[in-house]
C-alpha cells in the first residue's frame, strides 16, 4: 500500500464533520484507532511492533546489527488540528521503508518507525509527553499525577485505554540516530521555492499557566471602581505579551483560557490562561516571560487581584546534528535543500536533547497554516519528502 492509500485510510479518523479539523487526543477512541492502524500497517510489512506502557510504538525492521536508525513522528493532533502535523512523518516513514525494499536495500543496522504519544500536549498539558517519558527526560512519578481538563489522572486515562505505565523505554537505548519528517509550519519553503527543507534547530519554547484571582460580584450592582476583576488583569496581560513579542521578533500566545464561574452577569472570581512563548535563544525567552510576568503583576496590583505563574513545560534550544543536516541537504540533484530553523516543537527536539544525533526534514506547506483544519501539503511535495527520507535512511543504514 503506497503513500496515498495510507493517507486515504487515515483521512476520516478523528475528523470533525463540523470544521473538517482533527480531534486525535491521546488515549481517546480516535487515537486508539490510529494506534491499531499503525500496528496493522507495520504487520503488513513484516515489521515487529513494540509498544510501551504509554502507547508509544516502534515498528522494527530487524536487520543487521549495532545502533538502530529511527524515523517517525506522532499521530495525535491539537484540538481541531490539521491532517499533516504528525501523521505525515509516520506515513512517510512506512512509505520510505517500502521504497528501500523496492530498491533491494539490505540494512546493516536495525531501522524503526516510531509513533510518540501526546506530542502536542493537548490533553495533559506537557508538550512531547511520550518522548519525554520514554527518554527519561520526565519521571513517571511526576507525570502520573497530571490531570486533563476533566480532572482525569494520566494513570487512569492509561488504564482506561488498556495501557500500563510510562517511564524510560529500553527500546530507545540502542537508537543511534533519529530522523523526523514533518509538514512545514510556516512559509519559508514556499518563499524559497523548495519542496523539502532540512532542520537546523528548534527555538526554545515554553508553556506557562497564569492564574489570576479576584472577587466574584454582581455585574449590575457593583460599581466599576469597586471591582477586583481578574479578567481585566488577564486582558491587559494578553495585550502586553503580544506587544513584547512583536517588538522583539519573538512569539507569545494566549490560546487557552478558563473563566470561573463563567457567567454573563457576574464579575469572575478566577481566570486561568496559558501563555505559549517562544524565542530564538534561551536568554531572550526568559526575558520575554519575565517582562510579561512583571507587567501582569503590576496590573494585578492596580486591579486588586492576585497572580500565580507556573511553568508547565519548558524546552531549551535545540541544534540538530549539523553534519547530518548538511549531508541530507546535499542529497538533491538541483542544488542543496535549504537548511532552516523552526519555532515549532517536535519529539526530535527531545531526542536531540537526550543525546541522540537527530535530523528533521520539512515538507512545503503552501499557506504555512498549521494547528488548523487548513493545514495542507500537496501530494507531489509529500512524495518528494518520502523520497528524500528514503535516501537519508538508505545512507544511514548502508
Ligand atoms: C507543537 O507542534 C508545538 O510547537 O507546540
Ligand atoms: Mn503540532
Ligand atoms: Mn508535530
Amino acid at each position: 500500500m503506497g503513500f496515498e492509500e495510507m493517507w486515504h485510510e487515515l483521512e476520516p479518523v478523528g475528523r470533525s464533520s463540523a470544521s473538517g479539523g482533527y480531534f486525535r487526543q491521546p488515549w481517546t477512541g480516535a487515537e486508539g484507532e490510529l494506534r491499531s492502524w499503525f500496528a496493522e500497517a507495520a504487520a503488513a510489512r513484516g515489521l515487529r511492533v513494540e509498544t510501551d506502557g504509554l502507547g508509544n510504538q516502534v515498528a522494527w525492521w530487524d536487520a543487521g546489527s549495532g545502533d538502530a536508525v529511527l524515523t517517525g513522528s506522532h499521530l495525535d493532533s491539537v484540538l481541531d488540528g490539521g491532517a499533516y502535523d504528525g501523521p505525515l512523518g509516520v506515513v512517510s516513514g512506512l512509505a520510505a521503508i517500502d521504497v528501500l525494499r523496492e530498491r533491494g536495500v539490505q540494512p546493516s543496522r536495525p531501522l524503526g518507525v516510531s509513533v510518540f504519544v501526546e506530542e502536542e500536549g493537548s490533553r495533559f498539558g506537557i508538550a512531547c509527553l511520550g518522548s519525554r517519558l520514554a527518554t527519561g527526560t520526565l519521571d513517571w512519578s511526576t507525570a502520573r499525577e497530571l490531570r486533563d481538563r476533566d480532572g482525569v489522572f494520566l494513570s487512569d486515562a492509561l488504564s482506561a485505554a488498556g495501557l500500563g505505565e510510562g517511564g524510560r523505554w529500553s527500546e530507545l537505548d540502542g537508537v543511534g540516530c533519529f530522523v523526523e519528517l514533518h509538514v512545514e509550519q510556516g512559509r519559508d519553503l514556499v518563499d524559497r521555492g523548495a519542496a523539502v527543507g532540512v532542520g537546523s534547530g528548534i527555538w526554545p519554547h515554553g508553556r506557562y499557566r497564569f492564574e489570576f484571582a479576584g472577587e466574584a460580584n454582581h455585574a449590575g450592582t457593583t460599581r466599576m471602581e469597586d471591582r477586583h476583576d481578574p479578567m481585566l488583569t488577564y486582558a491587559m496581560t494578553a495585550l502586553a505579551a503580544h506587544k513584547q513579542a512583536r517588538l522583539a521578533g519573538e512569539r507569545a500566545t494566549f490560546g487557552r483560557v478558563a473563566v470561573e464561574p463563567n457567567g454573563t452577569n457576574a464579575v469572575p472570581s478566577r481566570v486561568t490562561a496559558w501563555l505559549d512563548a517562544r524565542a530564538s535563544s534561551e536568554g531572550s525567552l526568559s526575558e520575554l516571560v519575565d517582562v510579561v510576568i512583571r507587567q501582569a503583576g503590576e496590573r494585578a496590583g492596580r486591579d486588586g487581584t492576585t497572580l500565580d505563574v507556573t511553568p508547565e513545560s519548558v524546552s531549551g534550544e535545540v541544534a540538530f546534528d549539523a553534519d547530518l543536516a548538511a549531508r541530507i541537504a546535499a542529497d538533491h540533484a538541483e542544488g542543496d535543500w535549504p537548511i532552516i530553523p523552526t519555532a515549532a516543537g517536535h519529539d526530535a527536539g527531545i531526542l536531540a536533547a537526550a543525546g541522540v544525533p537527530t535530523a528533521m526534514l520539512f515538507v512545503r506547506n503552501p499557506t504555512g497554516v498549521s494547528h488548523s483544519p487548513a493545514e495542507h501539503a500537496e501530494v507531489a511535495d509529500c512524495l518528494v519528502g518520502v523520497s528524500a527520507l528514503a535516501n537519508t535512511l538508505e545512507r544511514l543504514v548502508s
Side-chain angles (χ1 to χ4, degrees):
M1 184 181 297
F3 175 90
E4 285 169 85
E5 286 152 289
M6 286 191 273
W7 199 251
H8 189 62
E9 282 188 348
L10 291 187
E11 253 164 6
V13 184
R15 185 170 56 193
S16 150
S17 52
S19 67
Y22 288 87
F23 290 82
R24 292 168 166 173
Q25 272 53 68
W27 309 295
T28 61
E31 203 244 9
E33 216 178 300
L34 293 168
R35 193 173 307 118
S36 306
W37 174 87
F38 179 75
E40 280 166 31
R45 289 169 171 77
L47 305 174
R48 174 178 60 85
V49 179
E50 288 283 339
T51 305
D52 79 350
L54 273 184
N56 290 317
Q57 293 169 297
V58 180
W60 288 112
W61 181 354
D62 290 312
S65 59
D67 282 354
V69 173
L70 197 63
T71 186
S73 194
H74 60 100
L75 292 172
D76 64 306
S77 73
V78 293
L79 297 169
D80 210 14
Y84 295 81
D85 179 356
L88 184 62
V90 174
V91 171
S92 298
L94 294 171
I97 286 198
D98 295 344
V99 171
L100 297 192
R101 287 178 167 167
E102 280 156 21
R103 292 179 187 169
V105 172
Q106 292 296 331
S108 64
R109 50 203 287 211
L111 175 58
V113 181
S114 60
V115 178
F116 289 109
V117 291
E118 179 69 315
E119 190 272 349
E120 300 288 4
S122 67
R123 183 163 175 196
F124 286 95
I126 296 193
C128 300
L129 184 66
S131 56
R132 279 182 206 270
L133 282 164
T135 54
T137 311
L138 178 71
D139 284 334
W140 174 241
S141 55
T142 308
R144 60 172 300 134
E145 303 298 334
L146 293 169
R147 288 173 184 246
D148 70 8
R149 291 165 205 241
D150 298 322
V152 176
F153 283 108
L154 173 57
S155 48
D156 292 335
L158 289 173
S159 307
L163 291 158
E165 298 202 334
R168 227 184 115 67
W169 194 21
S170 58
E171 262 324 276
L172 299 187
D173 288 346
V175 171
C177 171
F178 181 60
V179 183
E180 179 168 359
L181 178 145
H182 205 278
V183 68
E184 203 208 343
Q185 297 169 290
R187 287 193 302 270
D188 210 340
L189 295 176
V190 177
D191 294 343
R192 293 165 187 264
V196 164
V198 182
S200 57
I202 301 182
W203 273 22
H205 53 284
R207 299 176 178 194
Y208 310 83
R209 190 174 68 246
F210 281 58
E211 289 169 285
F212 304 92
E215 186 180 78
N217 213 331
H218 196 288
T221 59
T222 316
R223 292 187 310 166
M224 300 311 276
E225 50 274 45
D226 292 342
R227 299 177 179 211
H228 302 291
D229 184 348
M231 185 66 91
L232 291 184
T233 322
Y234 158 66
M236 176 272 164
T237 303
L239 293 173
H242 178 86
K243 184 173 175 187
Q244 288 303 325
R246 185 164 42 80
L247 292 176
E250 294 158 355
R251 312 277 190 271
T253 309
F254 278 100
R256 177 180 171 198
V257 185
V259 182
E260 291 169 42
N262 210 16
T264 305
N265 56 351
V267 174
S269 57
R270 176 175 282 269
V271 173
T272 307
W274 284 260
L275 170 68
D276 178 309
R278 309 184 188 220
S280 57
S281 72
E282 291 177 15
S284 44
L285 176 63
S286 312
E287 221 169 281
L288 170 65
V289 174
D290 287 350
V291 171
V292 175
I293 293 174
R294 183 172 49 72
Q295 294 189 357
E298 286 167 4
R299 176 71 199 210
R302 293 201 292 282
D303 291 334
T305 56
T306 61
L307 169 64
D308 247 351
V309 180
T310 310
E312 287 194 337
S313 76
V314 181
S315 306
E317 185 167 3
V318 171
F320 292 125
D321 190 291
D323 286 347
L324 185 53
R327 276 189 285 142
I328 297 172
D331 180 55
H332 179 36
E334 297 146 38
D336 291 4
W337 295 120
I339 300 183
I340 55 175
T342 177
H346 300 284
D347 292 313
I350 303 297
L351 272 84
V356 179
T358 295
M360 285 196 76
L361 282 162
F362 295 110
V363 171
R364 174 166 53 194
N365 172 342
T367 61
V369 173
S370 185
H371 284 186
S372 146
E375 182 182 84
H376 186 67
E378 297 294 340
V379 173
D381 286 351
C382 294
L383 296 178
V384 176
V386 169
S387 149
L389 179 62
N391 295 347
T392 300
L393 297 177
E394 179 171 353
R395 193 162 341 94
L396 289 168
V397 299
S398 294

